[in-house]
Amino acid sequence: MAQQKKLNVLVAERNPLVISALRDMISRDERFEFAEGIQSGEAFIQAVVGAQPSFDVAIVAWKLSDMDASEVLIELQRRQLTARLVVFSNDHDVGILKQCVRLGAQGFCYQFDDPCILFDTLLAVANGRICIPYVDVGKINETPLSRLTTRELELLGVLADGWTNLQIATRTGISENTVKYHLKNLYDKLGVRNRAMAVALYASERKRGPQPIPR
């Protein structure tokens, strides 16, 4: 019987020590071959862009040196790229899991799971299946946008249209400082750090389906 080809696994993780630990684990399993370790989301995107990707499946940490896994997934969608990947999170927030699934992640594991769970997930994803922890599928499409008020959705919409803080202040009759205050609250609700991330999330959610009914 011919020997089964090993699966090449790329690891994207900001911590070199975690990359080293995963490399050691992978090298001890005859089903896998360690392909490469990288620390940034942009490096991962470039690995996917390559005409002949050097990996069959990837482990992508929730937090990378320049972005998080949701931003990686959004960027893959924006560039119309596909990659078989497993998000590897050290945060047990179920919101992260739901966000990654909505954005197209095929696999999801926690860093504190038994290694065999990670390997089983890698195998499933490499073979074209979805493998994620249990989550109430009835709530999987609850998005950050569904938590916004009518006014906050309007604010997010004008941000997406390219309005500056001064334009928003002038057209709504409030001060720029008040605009900044509302934007900070908006970013906190969306779980993003800045305007660009908020607009990217808004665009992604609009593309994926019907808009939430404002409260």
Side-chain angles (χ1 to χ4, degrees), residues 117-154:
I117 295 177
L118 173 61
F119 288 150
D120 286 346
T121 303
L122 286 172
L123 276 177
V125 171
N127 285 289
R129 299 193 299 274
I130 293 174
C131 188
I132 61 171
Y134 171 78
V135 62
D136 185 345
V137 294
K139 297 181 179 180
I140 201 70
N141 287 320
E142 287 184 354
T143 74
L145 300 192
S146 67
R147 297 194 293 268
L148 301 183
T149 64
T150 301
R151 184 59 59 87
E152 287 166 337
L153 282 171
E154 291 172 352

PDB file of all heavy atoms in Angstrom, residues 117-154:
ATOM      1  N   ILE A 117      -7.456  16.973  19.570  1.00  0.00           N
ATOM      2  CA  ILE A 117      -8.591  17.707  19.021  1.00  0.00           C
ATOM      3  C   ILE A 117      -8.123  18.620  17.894  1.00  0.00           C
ATOM      4  O   ILE A 117      -8.757  18.718  16.837  1.00  0.00           O
ATOM      5  CB  ILE A 117      -9.306  18.524  20.122  1.00  0.00           C
ATOM      6  CG1 ILE A 117      -9.924  17.580  21.156  1.00  0.00           C
ATOM      7  CG2 ILE A 117     -10.368  19.456  19.520  1.00  0.00           C
ATOM      8  CD1 ILE A 117     -10.583  18.285  22.330  1.00  0.00           C
ATOM      9  N   LEU A 118      -6.991  19.280  18.096  1.00  0.00           N
ATOM     10  CA  LEU A 118      -6.424  20.123  17.050  1.00  0.00           C
ATOM     11  C   LEU A 118      -6.089  19.297  15.819  1.00  0.00           C
ATOM     12  O   LEU A 118      -6.427  19.687  14.684  1.00  0.00           O
ATOM     13  CB  LEU A 118      -5.171  20.838  17.563  1.00  0.00           C
ATOM     14  CG  LEU A 118      -4.376  21.644  16.514  1.00  0.00           C
ATOM     15  CD1 LEU A 118      -5.232  22.755  15.913  1.00  0.00           C
ATOM     16  CD2 LEU A 118      -3.111  22.213  17.149  1.00  0.00           C
ATOM     17  N   PHE A 119      -5.448  18.148  16.007  1.00  0.00           N
ATOM     18  CA  PHE A 119      -5.065  17.320  14.865  1.00  0.00           C
ATOM     19  C   PHE A 119      -6.287  16.773  14.125  1.00  0.00           C
ATOM     20  O   PHE A 119      -6.298  16.728  12.894  1.00  0.00           O
ATOM     21  CB  PHE A 119      -4.169  16.168  15.331  1.00  0.00           C
ATOM     22  CG  PHE A 119      -2.787  16.612  15.732  1.00  0.00           C
ATOM     23  CD1 PHE A 119      -2.078  15.922  16.700  1.00  0.00           C
ATOM     24  CD2 PHE A 119      -2.196  17.715  15.139  1.00  0.00           C
ATOM     25  CE1 PHE A 119      -0.802  16.318  17.073  1.00  0.00           C
ATOM     26  CE2 PHE A 119      -0.924  18.123  15.507  1.00  0.00           C
ATOM     27  CZ  PHE A 119      -0.221  17.431  16.481  1.00  0.00           C
ATOM     28  N   ASP A 120      -7.302  16.365  14.866  1.00  0.00           N
ATOM     29  CA  ASP A 120      -8.529  15.879  14.218  1.00  0.00           C
ATOM     30  C   ASP A 120      -9.198  16.997  13.418  1.00  0.00           C
ATOM     31  O   ASP A 120      -9.736  16.768  12.333  1.00  0.00           O
ATOM     32  CB  ASP A 120      -9.509  15.344  15.269  1.00  0.00           C
ATOM     33  CG  ASP A 120      -9.077  13.997  15.848  1.00  0.00           C
ATOM     34  OD1 ASP A 120      -8.174  13.370  15.258  1.00  0.00           O
ATOM     35  OD2 ASP A 120      -9.638  13.593  16.881  1.00  0.00           O
ATOM     36  N   THR A 121      -9.150  18.199  13.968  1.00  0.00           N
ATOM     37  CA  THR A 121      -9.732  19.350  13.271  1.00  0.00           C
ATOM     38  C   THR A 121      -8.948  19.664  12.002  1.00  0.00           C
ATOM     39  O   THR A 121      -9.530  19.938  10.948  1.00  0.00           O
ATOM     40  CB  THR A 121      -9.771  20.585  14.197  1.00  0.00           C
ATOM     41  OG1 THR A 121     -10.503  20.264  15.382  1.00  0.00           O
ATOM     42  CG2 THR A 121     -10.430  21.768  13.504  1.00  0.00           C
ATOM     43  N   LEU A 122      -7.626  19.606  12.085  1.00  0.00           N
ATOM     44  CA  LEU A 122      -6.791  19.844  10.908  1.00  0.00           C
ATOM     45  C   LEU A 122      -7.103  18.834   9.809  1.00  0.00           C
ATOM     46  O   LEU A 122      -7.218  19.200   8.629  1.00  0.00           O
ATOM     47  CB  LEU A 122      -5.306  19.758  11.286  1.00  0.00           C
ATOM     48  CG  LEU A 122      -4.721  20.932  12.076  1.00  0.00           C
ATOM     49  CD1 LEU A 122      -3.312  20.598  12.537  1.00  0.00           C
ATOM     50  CD2 LEU A 122      -4.712  22.199  11.236  1.00  0.00           C
ATOM     51  N   LEU A 123      -7.242  17.574  10.181  1.00  0.00           N
ATOM     52  CA  LEU A 123      -7.556  16.533   9.199  1.00  0.00           C
ATOM     53  C   LEU A 123      -8.906  16.783   8.539  1.00  0.00           C
ATOM     54  O   LEU A 123      -9.045  16.669   7.316  1.00  0.00           O
ATOM     55  CB  LEU A 123      -7.566  15.159   9.878  1.00  0.00           C
ATOM     56  CG  LEU A 123      -6.223  14.440  10.041  1.00  0.00           C
ATOM     57  CD1 LEU A 123      -6.422  13.132  10.801  1.00  0.00           C
ATOM     58  CD2 LEU A 123      -5.581  14.175   8.681  1.00  0.00           C
ATOM     59  N   ALA A 124      -9.899  17.128   9.352  1.00  0.00           N
ATOM     60  CA  ALA A 124     -11.238  17.369   8.822  1.00  0.00           C
ATOM     61  C   ALA A 124     -11.233  18.530   7.836  1.00  0.00           C
ATOM     62  O   ALA A 124     -11.766  18.436   6.722  1.00  0.00           O
ATOM     63  CB  ALA A 124     -12.218  17.647   9.964  1.00  0.00           C
ATOM     64  N   VAL A 125     -10.607  19.629   8.223  1.00  0.00           N
ATOM     65  CA  VAL A 125     -10.580  20.815   7.369  1.00  0.00           C
ATOM     66  C   VAL A 125      -9.780  20.558   6.098  1.00  0.00           C
ATOM     67  O   VAL A 125     -10.177  20.964   4.999  1.00  0.00           O
ATOM     68  CB  VAL A 125     -10.010  22.025   8.148  1.00  0.00           C
ATOM     69  CG1 VAL A 125      -9.766  23.209   7.213  1.00  0.00           C
ATOM     70  CG2 VAL A 125     -10.964  22.426   9.268  1.00  0.00           C
ATOM     71  N   ALA A 126      -8.661  19.857   6.229  1.00  0.00           N
ATOM     72  CA  ALA A 126      -7.840  19.540   5.052  1.00  0.00           C
ATOM     73  C   ALA A 126      -8.617  18.696   4.050  1.00  0.00           C
ATOM     74  O   ALA A 126      -8.364  18.760   2.838  1.00  0.00           O
ATOM     75  CB  ALA A 126      -6.570  18.814   5.478  1.00  0.00           C
ATOM     76  N   ASN A 127      -9.591  17.929   4.551  1.00  0.00           N
ATOM     77  CA  ASN A 127     -10.402  17.070   3.683  1.00  0.00           C
ATOM     78  C   ASN A 127     -11.733  17.712   3.296  1.00  0.00           C
ATOM     79  O   ASN A 127     -12.658  17.033   2.851  1.00  0.00           O
ATOM     80  CB  ASN A 127     -10.644  15.725   4.369  1.00  0.00           C
ATOM     81  CG  ASN A 127      -9.408  14.839   4.341  1.00  0.00           C
ATOM     82  OD1 ASN A 127      -9.018  14.336   3.294  1.00  0.00           O
ATOM     83  ND2 ASN A 127      -8.764  14.666   5.484  1.00  0.00           N
ATOM     84  N   GLY A 128     -11.811  19.030   3.486  1.00  0.00           N
ATOM     85  CA  GLY A 128     -12.968  19.766   2.998  1.00  0.00           C
ATOM     86  C   GLY A 128     -14.183  19.788   3.897  1.00  0.00           C
ATOM     87  O   GLY A 128     -15.272  20.154   3.463  1.00  0.00           O
ATOM     88  N   ARG A 129     -14.008  19.414   5.174  1.00  0.00           N
ATOM     89  CA  ARG A 129     -15.138  19.427   6.097  1.00  0.00           C
ATOM     90  C   ARG A 129     -15.024  20.606   7.064  1.00  0.00           C
ATOM     91  O   ARG A 129     -13.955  21.181   7.239  1.00  0.00           O
ATOM     92  CB  ARG A 129     -15.210  18.113   6.871  1.00  0.00           C
ATOM     93  CG  ARG A 129     -15.415  16.905   5.975  1.00  0.00           C
ATOM     94  CD  ARG A 129     -15.807  15.679   6.785  1.00  0.00           C
ATOM     95  NE  ARG A 129     -14.799  15.283   7.747  1.00  0.00           N
ATOM     96  CZ  ARG A 129     -13.763  14.482   7.457  1.00  0.00           C
ATOM     97  NH1 ARG A 129     -13.606  14.019   6.227  1.00  0.00           N
ATOM     98  NH2 ARG A 129     -12.898  14.154   8.382  1.00  0.00           N
ATOM     99  N   ILE A 130     -16.139  20.933   7.706  1.00  0.00           N
ATOM    100  CA  ILE A 130     -16.156  21.972   8.729  1.00  0.00           C
ATOM    101  C   ILE A 130     -16.101  21.301  10.096  1.00  0.00           C
ATOM    102  O   ILE A 130     -16.814  20.329  10.349  1.00  0.00           O
ATOM    103  CB  ILE A 130     -17.428  22.837   8.611  1.00  0.00           C
ATOM    104  CG1 ILE A 130     -17.395  23.638   7.305  1.00  0.00           C
ATOM    105  CG2 ILE A 130     -17.569  23.779   9.803  1.00  0.00           C
ATOM    106  CD1 ILE A 130     -18.664  24.416   7.031  1.00  0.00           C
ATOM    107  N   CYS A 131     -15.254  21.807  10.965  1.00  0.00           N
ATOM    108  CA  CYS A 131     -15.099  21.209  12.297  1.00  0.00           C
ATOM    109  C   CYS A 131     -14.946  22.328  13.321  1.00  0.00           C
ATOM    110  O   CYS A 131     -13.901  22.961  13.420  1.00  0.00           O
ATOM    111  CB  CYS A 131     -13.872  20.286  12.306  1.00  0.00           C
ATOM    112  SG  CYS A 131     -13.711  19.318  13.814  1.00  0.00           S
ATOM    113  N   ILE A 132     -16.019  22.578  14.078  1.00  0.00           N
ATOM    114  CA  ILE A 132     -16.009  23.637  15.081  1.00  0.00           C
ATOM    115  C   ILE A 132     -16.594  23.116  16.384  1.00  0.00           C
ATOM    116  O   ILE A 132     -17.344  22.141  16.384  1.00  0.00           O
ATOM    117  CB  ILE A 132     -16.816  24.872  14.606  1.00  0.00           C
ATOM    118  CG1 ILE A 132     -18.287  24.491  14.367  1.00  0.00           C
ATOM    119  CG2 ILE A 132     -16.206  25.482  13.349  1.00  0.00           C
ATOM    120  CD1 ILE A 132     -19.189  25.679  14.103  1.00  0.00           C
ATOM    121  N   PRO A 133     -16.277  23.763  17.518  1.00  0.00           N
ATOM    122  CA  PRO A 133     -16.900  23.380  18.786  1.00  0.00           C
ATOM    123  C   PRO A 133     -18.404  23.630  18.739  1.00  0.00           C
ATOM    124  O   PRO A 133     -18.892  24.382  17.882  1.00  0.00           O
ATOM    125  CB  PRO A 133     -16.231  24.306  19.810  1.00  0.00           C
ATOM    126  CG  PRO A 133     -14.974  24.753  19.152  1.00  0.00           C
ATOM    127  CD  PRO A 133     -15.277  24.817  17.688  1.00  0.00           C
ATOM    128  N   TYR A 134     -19.124  23.020  19.675  1.00  0.00           N
ATOM    129  CA  TYR A 134     -20.578  23.210  19.713  1.00  0.00           C
ATOM    130  C   TYR A 134     -20.917  24.682  19.901  1.00  0.00           C
ATOM    131  O   TYR A 134     -20.330  25.386  20.720  1.00  0.00           O
ATOM    132  CB  TYR A 134     -21.213  22.411  20.859  1.00  0.00           C
ATOM    133  CG  TYR A 134     -22.676  22.772  21.033  1.00  0.00           C
ATOM    134  CD1 TYR A 134     -23.639  22.267  20.166  1.00  0.00           C
ATOM    135  CD2 TYR A 134     -23.076  23.675  22.022  1.00  0.00           C
ATOM    136  CE1 TYR A 134     -24.973  22.625  20.288  1.00  0.00           C
ATOM    137  CE2 TYR A 134     -24.407  24.037  22.155  1.00  0.00           C
ATOM    138  CZ  TYR A 134     -25.344  23.508  21.282  1.00  0.00           C
ATOM    139  OH  TYR A 134     -26.655  23.876  21.405  1.00  0.00           O
ATOM    140  N   VAL A 135     -21.877  25.147  19.123  1.00  0.00           N
ATOM    141  CA  VAL A 135     -22.431  26.487  19.308  1.00  0.00           C
ATOM    142  C   VAL A 135     -23.884  26.428  18.861  1.00  0.00           C
ATOM    143  O   VAL A 135     -24.229  25.667  17.948  1.00  0.00           O
ATOM    144  CB  VAL A 135     -21.637  27.536  18.500  1.00  0.00           C
ATOM    145  CG1 VAL A 135     -21.707  27.253  17.008  1.00  0.00           C
ATOM    146  CG2 VAL A 135     -22.121  28.949  18.790  1.00  0.00           C
ATOM    147  N   ASP A 136     -24.732  27.176  19.515  1.00  0.00           N
ATOM    148  CA  ASP A 136     -26.154  27.203  19.166  1.00  0.00           C
ATOM    149  C   ASP A 136     -26.301  27.786  17.761  1.00  0.00           C
ATOM    150  O   ASP A 136     -26.120  28.987  17.551  1.00  0.00           O
ATOM    151  CB  ASP A 136     -26.915  28.061  20.180  1.00  0.00           C
ATOM    152  CG  ASP A 136     -28.431  28.034  19.951  1.00  0.00           C
ATOM    153  OD1 ASP A 136     -28.867  27.591  18.873  1.00  0.00           O
ATOM    154  OD2 ASP A 136     -29.162  28.465  20.860  1.00  0.00           O
ATOM    155  N   VAL A 137     -26.627  26.917  16.787  1.00  0.00           N
ATOM    156  CA  VAL A 137     -26.704  27.379  15.405  1.00  0.00           C
ATOM    157  C   VAL A 137     -27.808  28.405  15.215  1.00  0.00           C
ATOM    158  O   VAL A 137     -27.775  29.199  14.274  1.00  0.00           O
ATOM    159  CB  VAL A 137     -26.911  26.196  14.425  1.00  0.00           C
ATOM    160  CG1 VAL A 137     -25.705  25.297  14.408  1.00  0.00           C
ATOM    161  CG2 VAL A 137     -28.171  25.413  14.764  1.00  0.00           C
ATOM    162  N   GLY A 138     -28.780  28.407  16.092  1.00  0.00           N
ATOM    163  CA  GLY A 138     -29.850  29.396  15.990  1.00  0.00           C
ATOM    164  C   GLY A 138     -29.353  30.802  16.270  1.00  0.00           C
ATOM    165  O   GLY A 138     -30.010  31.776  15.910  1.00  0.00           O
ATOM    166  N   LYS A 139     -28.181  30.891  16.908  1.00  0.00           N
ATOM    167  CA  LYS A 139     -27.636  32.209  17.243  1.00  0.00           C
ATOM    168  C   LYS A 139     -26.379  32.532  16.449  1.00  0.00           C
ATOM    169  O   LYS A 139     -25.747  33.567  16.678  1.00  0.00           O
ATOM    170  CB  LYS A 139     -27.330  32.272  18.742  1.00  0.00           C
ATOM    171  CG  LYS A 139     -28.559  32.124  19.628  1.00  0.00           C
ATOM    172  CD  LYS A 139     -28.186  32.212  21.101  1.00  0.00           C
ATOM    173  CE  LYS A 139     -29.431  32.092  21.988  1.00  0.00           C
ATOM    174  NZ  LYS A 139     -29.083  32.165  23.424  1.00  0.00           N
ATOM    175  N   ILE A 140     -26.017  31.668  15.517  1.00  0.00           N
ATOM    176  CA  ILE A 140     -24.752  31.848  14.811  1.00  0.00           C
ATOM    177  C   ILE A 140     -24.760  33.112  13.965  1.00  0.00           C
ATOM    178  O   ILE A 140     -23.721  33.723  13.729  1.00  0.00           O
ATOM    179  CB  ILE A 140     -24.433  30.614  13.925  1.00  0.00           C
ATOM    180  CG1 ILE A 140     -22.935  30.556  13.615  1.00  0.00           C
ATOM    181  CG2 ILE A 140     -25.244  30.610  12.655  1.00  0.00           C
ATOM    182  CD1 ILE A 140     -22.079  30.218  14.761  1.00  0.00           C
ATOM    183  N   ASN A 141     -25.947  33.512  13.495  1.00  0.00           N
ATOM    184  CA  ASN A 141     -26.017  34.697  12.644  1.00  0.00           C
ATOM    185  C   ASN A 141     -26.266  35.991  13.414  1.00  0.00           C
ATOM    186  O   ASN A 141     -26.452  37.037  12.804  1.00  0.00           O
ATOM    187  CB  ASN A 141     -27.100  34.514  11.570  1.00  0.00           C
ATOM    188  CG  ASN A 141     -26.665  33.539  10.494  1.00  0.00           C
ATOM    189  OD1 ASN A 141     -25.511  33.544  10.083  1.00  0.00           O
ATOM    190  ND2 ASN A 141     -27.576  32.702  10.054  1.00  0.00           N
ATOM    191  N   GLU A 142     -26.275  35.895  14.739  1.00  0.00           N
ATOM    192  CA  GLU A 142     -26.300  37.127  15.521  1.00  0.00           C
ATOM    193  C   GLU A 142     -24.977  37.837  15.299  1.00  0.00           C
ATOM    194  O   GLU A 142     -23.909  37.270  15.492  1.00  0.00           O
ATOM    195  CB  GLU A 142     -26.484  36.825  17.013  1.00  0.00           C
ATOM    196  CG  GLU A 142     -27.882  36.373  17.366  1.00  0.00           C
ATOM    197  CD  GLU A 142     -28.051  36.188  18.861  1.00  0.00           C
ATOM    198  OE1 GLU A 142     -27.035  36.310  19.593  1.00  0.00           O
ATOM    199  OE2 GLU A 142     -29.165  35.909  19.302  1.00  0.00           O
ATOM    200  N   THR A 143     -25.048  39.059  14.860  1.00  0.00           N
ATOM    201  CA  THR A 143     -23.839  39.801  14.513  1.00  0.00           C
ATOM    202  C   THR A 143     -23.665  40.999  15.427  1.00  0.00           C
ATOM    203  O   THR A 143     -24.620  41.426  16.103  1.00  0.00           O
ATOM    204  CB  THR A 143     -23.906  40.290  13.061  1.00  0.00           C
ATOM    205  OG1 THR A 143     -24.838  41.386  12.998  1.00  0.00           O
ATOM    206  CG2 THR A 143     -24.343  39.180  12.117  1.00  0.00           C
ATOM    207  N   PRO A 144     -22.463  41.586  15.429  1.00  0.00           N
ATOM    208  CA  PRO A 144     -22.276  42.815  16.202  1.00  0.00           C
ATOM    209  C   PRO A 144     -23.261  43.908  15.779  1.00  0.00           C
ATOM    210  O   PRO A 144     -23.689  44.709  16.599  1.00  0.00           O
ATOM    211  CB  PRO A 144     -20.828  43.207  15.874  1.00  0.00           C
ATOM    212  CG  PRO A 144     -20.155  41.916  15.549  1.00  0.00           C
ATOM    213  CD  PRO A 144     -21.198  41.106  14.840  1.00  0.00           C
ATOM    214  N   LEU A 145     -23.649  43.916  14.500  1.00  0.00           N
ATOM    215  CA  LEU A 145     -24.570  44.944  14.019  1.00  0.00           C
ATOM    216  C   LEU A 145     -25.948  44.816  14.655  1.00  0.00           C
ATOM    217  O   LEU A 145     -26.669  45.805  14.806  1.00  0.00           O
ATOM    218  CB  LEU A 145     -24.716  44.877  12.490  1.00  0.00           C
ATOM    219  CG  LEU A 145     -23.453  45.067  11.649  1.00  0.00           C
ATOM    220  CD1 LEU A 145     -23.834  45.257  10.187  1.00  0.00           C
ATOM    221  CD2 LEU A 145     -22.620  46.233  12.140  1.00  0.00           C
ATOM    222  N   SER A 146     -26.327  43.598  15.039  1.00  0.00           N
ATOM    223  CA  SER A 146     -27.657  43.397  15.621  1.00  0.00           C
ATOM    224  C   SER A 146     -27.773  44.029  17.001  1.00  0.00           C
ATOM    225  O   SER A 146     -28.865  44.173  17.524  1.00  0.00           O
ATOM    226  CB  SER A 146     -27.978  41.900  15.691  1.00  0.00           C
ATOM    227  OG  SER A 146     -27.124  41.236  16.611  1.00  0.00           O
ATOM    228  N   ARG A 147     -26.639  44.414  17.597  1.00  0.00           N
ATOM    229  CA  ARG A 147     -26.656  45.049  18.919  1.00  0.00           C
ATOM    230  C   ARG A 147     -26.712  46.574  18.836  1.00  0.00           C
ATOM    231  O   ARG A 147     -26.775  47.245  19.863  1.00  0.00           O
ATOM    232  CB  ARG A 147     -25.421  44.626  19.715  1.00  0.00           C
ATOM    233  CG  ARG A 147     -25.338  43.139  20.005  1.00  0.00           C
ATOM    234  CD  ARG A 147     -24.307  42.839  21.066  1.00  0.00           C
ATOM    235  NE  ARG A 147     -22.951  43.121  20.624  1.00  0.00           N
ATOM    236  CZ  ARG A 147     -22.164  42.222  20.048  1.00  0.00           C
ATOM    237  NH1 ARG A 147     -22.617  40.996  19.828  1.00  0.00           N
ATOM    238  NH2 ARG A 147     -20.938  42.526  19.688  1.00  0.00           N
ATOM    239  N   LEU A 148     -26.658  47.111  17.613  1.00  0.00           N
ATOM    240  CA  LEU A 148     -26.616  48.562  17.454  1.00  0.00           C
ATOM    241  C   LEU A 148     -28.016  49.176  17.414  1.00  0.00           C
ATOM    242  O   LEU A 148     -28.971  48.555  16.956  1.00  0.00           O
ATOM    243  CB  LEU A 148     -25.874  48.928  16.163  1.00  0.00           C
ATOM    244  CG  LEU A 148     -24.428  48.443  16.022  1.00  0.00           C
ATOM    245  CD1 LEU A 148     -23.830  48.961  14.724  1.00  0.00           C
ATOM    246  CD2 LEU A 148     -23.585  48.859  17.223  1.00  0.00           C
ATOM    247  N   THR A 149     -28.114  50.400  17.886  1.00  0.00           N
ATOM    248  CA  THR A 149     -29.361  51.148  17.793  1.00  0.00           C
ATOM    249  C   THR A 149     -29.501  51.723  16.380  1.00  0.00           C
ATOM    250  O   THR A 149     -28.559  51.695  15.581  1.00  0.00           O
ATOM    251  CB  THR A 149     -29.366  52.306  18.799  1.00  0.00           C
ATOM    252  OG1 THR A 149     -28.332  53.227  18.450  1.00  0.00           O
ATOM    253  CG2 THR A 149     -29.146  51.801  20.217  1.00  0.00           C
ATOM    254  N   THR A 150     -30.675  52.268  16.085  1.00  0.00           N
ATOM    255  CA  THR A 150     -30.908  52.892  14.779  1.00  0.00           C
ATOM    256  C   THR A 150     -29.889  53.996  14.514  1.00  0.00           C
ATOM    257  O   THR A 150     -29.308  54.087  13.427  1.00  0.00           O
ATOM    258  CB  THR A 150     -32.328  53.488  14.706  1.00  0.00           C
ATOM    259  OG1 THR A 150     -33.272  52.446  14.936  1.00  0.00           O
ATOM    260  CG2 THR A 150     -32.588  54.119  13.354  1.00  0.00           C
ATOM    261  N   ARG A 151     -29.643  54.836  15.505  1.00  0.00           N
ATOM    262  CA  ARG A 151     -28.697  55.937  15.355  1.00  0.00           C
ATOM    263  C   ARG A 151     -27.279  55.422  15.115  1.00  0.00           C
ATOM    264  O   ARG A 151     -26.535  55.983  14.303  1.00  0.00           O
ATOM    265  CB  ARG A 151     -28.741  56.841  16.600  1.00  0.00           C
ATOM    266  CG  ARG A 151     -27.874  58.092  16.523  1.00  0.00           C
ATOM    267  CD  ARG A 151     -28.247  58.981  15.360  1.00  0.00           C
ATOM    268  NE  ARG A 151     -29.626  59.420  15.440  1.00  0.00           N
ATOM    269  CZ  ARG A 151     -30.037  60.493  16.110  1.00  0.00           C
ATOM    270  NH1 ARG A 151     -29.177  61.226  16.774  1.00  0.00           N
ATOM    271  NH2 ARG A 151     -31.308  60.830  16.104  1.00  0.00           N
ATOM    272  N   GLU A 152     -26.911  54.367  15.826  1.00  0.00           N
ATOM    273  CA  GLU A 152     -25.561  53.810  15.652  1.00  0.00           C
ATOM    274  C   GLU A 152     -25.393  53.184  14.268  1.00  0.00           C
ATOM    275  O   GLU A 152     -24.321  53.282  13.657  1.00  0.00           O
ATOM    276  CB  GLU A 152     -25.276  52.784  16.758  1.00  0.00           C
ATOM    277  CG  GLU A 152     -25.048  53.427  18.111  1.00  0.00           C
ATOM    278  CD  GLU A 152     -25.094  52.438  19.251  1.00  0.00           C
ATOM    279  OE1 GLU A 152     -25.704  51.351  19.101  1.00  0.00           O
ATOM    280  OE2 GLU A 152     -24.543  52.744  20.320  1.00  0.00           O
ATOM    281  N   LEU A 153     -26.434  52.534  13.761  1.00  0.00           N
ATOM    282  CA  LEU A 153     -26.377  51.984  12.402  1.00  0.00           C
ATOM    283  C   LEU A 153     -26.245  53.103  11.366  1.00  0.00           C
ATOM    284  O   LEU A 153     -25.518  52.967  10.379  1.00  0.00           O
ATOM    285  CB  LEU A 153     -27.625  51.146  12.112  1.00  0.00           C
ATOM    286  CG  LEU A 153     -27.658  49.737  12.710  1.00  0.00           C
ATOM    287  CD1 LEU A 153     -29.035  49.110  12.527  1.00  0.00           C
ATOM    288  CD2 LEU A 153     -26.587  48.852  12.081  1.00  0.00           C
ATOM    289  N   GLU A 154     -26.948  54.210  11.606  1.00  0.00           N
ATOM    290  CA  GLU A 154     -26.832  55.352  10.706  1.00  0.00           C
ATOM    291  C   GLU A 154     -25.411  55.918  10.732  1.00  0.00           C
ATOM    292  O   GLU A 154     -24.850  56.275   9.686  1.00  0.00           O
ATOM    293  CB  GLU A 154     -27.838  56.436  11.105  1.00  0.00           C
ATOM    294  CG  GLU A 154     -29.295  56.053  10.848  1.00  0.00           C
ATOM    295  CD  GLU A 154     -30.263  57.068  11.429  1.00  0.00           C
ATOM    296  OE1 GLU A 154     -29.803  57.987  12.150  1.00  0.00           O
ATOM    297  OE2 GLU A 154     -31.475  56.948  11.164  1.00  0.00           O
TER     298      GLU A 154
END
